[in-house]
Amino acid sequence: MSEETVLSQAAPGRKQQQRSIVTQQKLLDAAIEAFSENGFKGTSTRDIAERAGVHHPLITYHFKNKDQLWRAAADHIFIAFSHSLAKSLEENRDMCPKKRMSAMIFAYVNYAKSQPALHKVMVQEASYPSPRLEWLIEKHLKPLFQVTFGMIEKLQQLGVAPPGNPALLFNMIRLSSGGLLALGNELAGSSGIDIENPETLSEIADMIIRVFLPGEVPAASAAQKGAAA
Amino acid sequence: MSEETVLSQAAPGRKQQQRSIVTQQKLLDAAIEAFSENGFKGTSTRDIAERAGVHHPLITYHFKNKDQLWRAAADHIFIAFSHSLAKSLEENRDMCPKKRMSAMIFAYVNYAKSQPALHKVMVQEASYPSPRLEWLIEKHLKPLFQVTFGMIEKLQQLGVAPPGNPALLFNMIRLSSGGLLALGNELAGSSGIDIENPETLSEIADMIIRVFLPGEVPAASAAQKGAAA
DNA sequence: ACTTTATTTTTCCAAACTGGAAGATTTCCG
DNA sequence: CGGAAATCTTCCAGTTTGGAAAAATAAAGT
């Protein structure tokens, strides 16, 4: 059953059907929504099936059980997210470090808007230790963060980002974008911030850059990247 | 039964007993913990009673029902929080605006550490619209935020805080402190950040100030407050 | 001490919901 | 058409749900 499903199914005599892919997709979308709203414990497989408009035993069929469905949903979110960041990095390969990071922040904000579950699920799972949290950290967070820490450090060396623990700085950027958008329902009422307005998104990204990357790249390293080895 | 319980009980013939206060406190603490971990829907009254080490019908007795218990728990968190902020403001009444805001950020970070539920509950409730979210916004968030928006605006006028929508700026500060601490379980594994270490807390507060309040107060307004009316 | 009230304990309920299994049925590919 | 893939229906045994009601205990108030 294709890359979407749990563990490759050895040698299936026949290829996966189109409708099956559609069903899996609907279940994944519904699962992401439900898990991000109510957490793992607070979500029932029946709730997910209902949101997907699908009979609940199909979860067993496609994903084996609730836990595997959760993992597939998390994969879905984080793989798409890291693709989105990678694409941004790729497109700005030749820009200066500050422009590259700025582009990444834009990508971050936009992805967080289209998929608020990215951050909600993290908060849900970080509430208390669990095997899922460990899995999430090892499989998705660490690899993603390692890359970013390096970028931040370089920006600090260039005087673009303020000094201090780069991991801390990165997490603040992360929360100012993803964390902010996850609060969408609250911000409208409490702060008059409308995250549905596309202009608000640019406003957020701009402010993050203004605040976290206030310096300018020295002329020496502006042309191409690599200055301090 | 005292200010802790739901709606004053007209004229009780006798005064509340000490053990009752203790029970209510235990239930509130347990409720805060449980609701912040699993959200309203994902938390059962029995789970709360168990954490409190108390028989579950006592919830009905003291708080009427699950919804009222949630509200009492939220009140408990937010009232203590706003007291903590008010105290900080009071103690630094005569300082310059930047020092005053810095002190408030310290207070914020420290409260968020001692009560991570402050932010967790917000994310939980902001997941989807609900009467609880509306109530929270109107009763606690709006009043609290109004004050802070004003402080931020003044700091922007003084050139201490970067320009832009003050509400946005404030929410970023809020997420960089409260939001960060709510992710404690994750940060240790993903970023090597140990929020149990008291030094980490100062590091966080320092960085927030460095990043969000980079400017210095002009000498003219440094002596006392009020410069621009 | 004795009555009255506040608080806790025990027991119960009816309903909804839990994750998952099993088998019948339909749809699609070759 | 034959067979595999996917879906639908039905069922289950058990737990959990929020809350009610009544019985028991502990603390005041006098």
Side-chain angles (χ1 to χ4, degrees):
Chain A
M1 301 129 172
S2 94
E3 67 281 29
E4 294 290 356
T5 317
V6 207
L7 307 160
S8 58
Q9 194 122 10
R14 258 181 225 198
K15 79 167 184 183
Q16 183 186 31
Q17 299 179 8
Q18 187 61 28
R19 55 181 182 152
S20 146
I21 298 176
V22 172
T23 301
Q24 290 183 352
Q25 192 57 52
K26 284 194 288 188
L27 278 172
L28 281 176
D29 290 342
I32 289 169
E33 189 181 280
F35 283 133
S36 76
E37 281 182 15
N38 298 315
F40 183 82
K41 187 191 155 198
T43 301
S44 71
T45 56
R46 284 176 154 88
D47 178 20
I48 294 172
E50 206 166 322
R51 291 179 195 237
V54 144
H55 293 259
H56 87 270
L58 283 179
I59 289 178
T60 312
Y61 179 72
H62 286 288
F63 298 95
K64 181 75 179 167
N65 58 33
K66 185 180 172 182
D67 193 77
Q68 295 294 317
L69 173 57
W70 184 89
R71 284 175 153 79
D75 276 339
H76 196 70
I77 297 174
F78 278 90
I79 290 173
F81 176 55
S82 88
H83 278 358
S84 155
L85 292 193
K87 189 183 160 211
S88 159
L89 279 181
E90 179 63 24
E91 287 174 356
N92 296 279
R93 197 195 318 186
D94 302 327
M95 306 296 252
C96 75
K98 177 170 178 175
K99 285 226 161 33
R100 226 166 35 240
M101 179 59 89
S102 299
M104 217 168 91
I105 289 172
F106 263 90
Y108 200 147
V109 170
N110 280 299
Y111 186 84
K113 171 63 182 74
S114 73
Q115 189 63 282
L118 175 72
H119 189 261
K120 289 184 190 177
V121 166
M122 279 312 314
V123 178
Q124 294 279 6
E125 288 304 323
S127 294
Y128 54 95
S130 76
R132 293 182 303 281
L133 178 59
E134 301 240 356
W135 176 89
L136 210 46
I137 290 173
E138 294 302 324
K139 177 158 185 192
H140 292 295
L141 263 40
K142 270 187 173 176
L144 207 56
F145 287 10
Q146 285 314 321
V147 181
T148 328
F149 290 170
M151 292 182 64
I152 300 265
E153 260 178 324
K154 181 183 280 180
L155 285 165
Q156 289 180 314
Q157 286 163 10
L158 291 175
V160 173
N165 183 343
L168 212 49
L169 204 57
F170 165 69
N171 278 290
M172 287 186 186
I173 294 176
R174 175 189 168 210
L175 282 153
S176 297
S177 43
L180 194 74
L181 289 167
L183 286 182
N185 281 326
E186 181 231 284
L187 295 180
S190 72
S191 311
I193 295 174
D194 172 25
I195 64 163
E196 297 306 323
N197 186 341
E199 280 181 34
T200 306
L201 294 188
S202 332
E203 208 184 337
I204 291 172
D206 285 342
M207 185 171 286
I208 291 176
I209 294 162
R210 196 178 319 138
V211 163
F212 289 99
L213 309 176
E216 288 305 327
V217 177
S221 14
Q224 206 73 352
K225 44 185 176 182
Chain B
M1 304 127 177
S2 93
E3 66 281 26
E4 294 291 356
T5 317
V6 209
L7 305 160
S8 58
Q9 194 122 11
R14 261 180 223 197
K15 78 168 185 184
Q16 182 186 32
Q17 300 180 7
Q18 188 62 29
R19 55 180 182 156
S20 146
I21 297 177
V22 172
T23 301
Q24 290 183 352
Q25 192 57 54
K26 285 195 287 188
L27 278 172
L28 281 176
D29 290 341
I32 289 170
E33 190 182 282
F35 283 133
S36 76
E37 281 181 15
N38 297 314
F40 183 81
K41 186 191 156 196
T43 301
S44 72
T45 56
R46 283 174 154 88
D47 178 20
I48 294 171
E50 206 166 322
R51 291 179 195 236
V54 144
H55 293 262
H56 87 271
L58 282 179
I59 289 178
T60 311
Y61 179 72
H62 286 288
F63 298 95
K64 181 76 178 167
N65 59 32
K66 185 179 173 181
D67 193 76
Q68 294 294 318
L69 173 56
W70 183 90
R71 284 176 153 79
D75 275 340
H76 196 70
I77 297 173
F78 278 89
I79 290 173
F81 176 56
S82 85
H83 278 357
S84 156
L85 292 193
K87 189 182 159 210
S88 160
L89 279 181
E90 179 63 23
E91 285 174 357
N92 296 277
R93 195 195 319 187
D94 301 329
M95 306 294 253
C96 75
K98 178 171 179 175
K99 285 226 162 31
R100 231 173 22 245
M101 180 60 89
S102 299
M104 217 168 92
I105 290 173
F106 263 91
Y108 201 147
V109 170
N110 280 300
Y111 186 83
K113 171 64 182 73
S114 73
Q115 188 63 278
L118 174 72
H119 189 260
K120 288 184 191 177
V121 166
M122 279 311 315
V123 179
Q124 293 280 6
E125 287 304 323
S127 293
Y128 54 95
S130 76
R132 293 183 303 283
L133 179 59
E134 300 239 358
W135 176 89
L136 210 47
I137 291 174
E138 294 303 325
K139 177 158 186 193
H140 293 295
L141 263 40
K142 271 188 171 175
L144 208 56
F145 287 10
Q146 284 313 321
V147 180
T148 329
F149 291 169
M151 292 183 65
I152 300 263
E153 261 180 323
K154 181 185 280 181
L155 285 164
Q156 290 180 314
Q157 285 163 9
L158 291 174
V160 173
N165 184 343
L168 211 50
L169 204 58
F170 165 69
N171 278 290
M172 287 187 184
I173 296 176
R174 174 189 169 209
L175 282 154
S176 296
S177 42
L180 195 74
L181 289 165
L183 286 182
N185 282 325
E186 181 230 284
L187 294 180
S190 72
S191 311
I193 296 173
D194 173 25
I195 62 161
E196 297 306 322
N197 186 339
E199 280 182 33
T200 306
L201 293 189
S202 331
E203 209 184 337
I204 291 173
D206 286 341
M207 186 171 286
I208 292 177
I209 293 164
R210 196 177 320 135
V211 164
F212 289 98
L213 308 176
E216 289 305 329
V217 178
S221 16
Q224 207 71 354
K225 43 185 177 179

